[in-house]
Amino acid sequence: MSEPLTLTSHLHKARPLNIINDPIFYAIAIPAVLVSAIGKGGFAGATSNIMVPVMALMVPVPQAAGIALILLCAMDISGVRAWWGKWDAREMRLLLPASMVGVALGAALFGVLGPRTVQGVLGVITLAFLAWRFLVGLLAAAPAAPFNALKGAICAIASGATSTLAHAGGPPMQIYLLPRKLPREVFTATNVVLFGLINYAKLVPYGAMGLLDLTNLGTALVLLPLCPLGVYLGIWLQSRMPEALFYRIITAALFLLGVKLTWDGFFA
């Protein structure tokens, strides 16, 4: 009988610390990490999920997700610290446990879906994310929605699952949270802390699946200095660059990536 795969057993069997050595990978990963960190810094925040689709052009989606998770956890440290305790307590009591169920569901899907299917799913999630952003303007004009435990739980489970598969949990969660029209500070704190906790929870299944091996850790360490730099740039750019222009550029790039990943995953 084979030994169960655990984070500890995987690290013992892993190669010594290594990194991806393809220069083309870094040529596309470096700007993707910077753009994601800029989003975490508050400038065009919806761009913060671009890392996995971009890296997936060069490495398998699970490997891209493993590298990205380490970087996202680093980016989340300052955000969680800044917004800790300012969330909506009732929403957090509902959304956090439900999202953990979604994390477990996403981890199970990782074990069932083949690499090309995961790639196609990532493409569909990326295109769905863009469609959701288009609908945000319509949601802004609607009256505030009441607290809805069933809708919130369903959206949180979907968010945890898509976040685990591709760090793309934003759209399902915002389908519930945006119509609630919480005060801006409470809305921001609820989102930042919730997704920070989700990211750290994902370390457990990612470690068990071997996605935090020493190659991914080493590659993430090479890219890690870009995280604080990008967060600072996000803060700096808020008063110096039209956010709409930046967002249009990233949206166009995400659309092309989504189409390519969907085609390669399901039709090629």
Side-chain angles (χ1 to χ4, degrees), residues 35-53:
V35 168
S36 295
I38 286 170
K40 288 284 187 178
F43 183 80
T47 65
S48 60
N49 71 333
I50 196 173
M51 274 193 290
V52 177

Side-chain angles (χ1 to χ4, degrees), residues 15 21 80 165 242:
R15 297 175 295 172
N21 56 17
V80 169
L165 283 170

Side-chain angles (χ1 to χ4, degrees), residues 101-223:
V101 174
V103 169
L105 175 61
L109 289 173
F110 245 140
V112 172
L113 302 177
R116 284 192 61 187
T117 303
V118 173
Q119 186 179 35
V121 169
L122 174 58
V124 171
I125 291 172
T126 301
L127 295 175
F129 166 79
L130 296 177
W132 164 76
R133 288 298 301 174
F134 178 76
L135 294 173
V136 165
L138 300 178
L139 292 174
F147 178 81
N148 186 322
L150 179 60
K151 180 182 177 183
I154 292 172
C155 289
I157 291 171
S159 180
T162 55
S163 181
T164 303
L165 283 170
H167 308 314
M173 191 70 76
Q174 302 319 317
I175 287 172
Y176 172 70
L177 278 178
L178 271 178
R180 293 280 292 120
K181 299 201 171 178
L182 301 170
R184 182 173 180 176
E185 182 180 79
V186 175
F187 174 82
T188 301
T190 302
N191 271 285
V192 170
V193 176
L194 183 59
F195 280 106
L197 295 175
I198 289 172
N199 283 337
Y200 276 89
K202 290 186 296 192
L203 290 171
V204 176
Y206 270 54
M209 291 185 292
L211 299 180
L212 302 180
D213 64 19
L214 295 183
T215 296
N216 289 353
L217 286 169
T219 302
L221 286 174
V222 172
L223 297 168

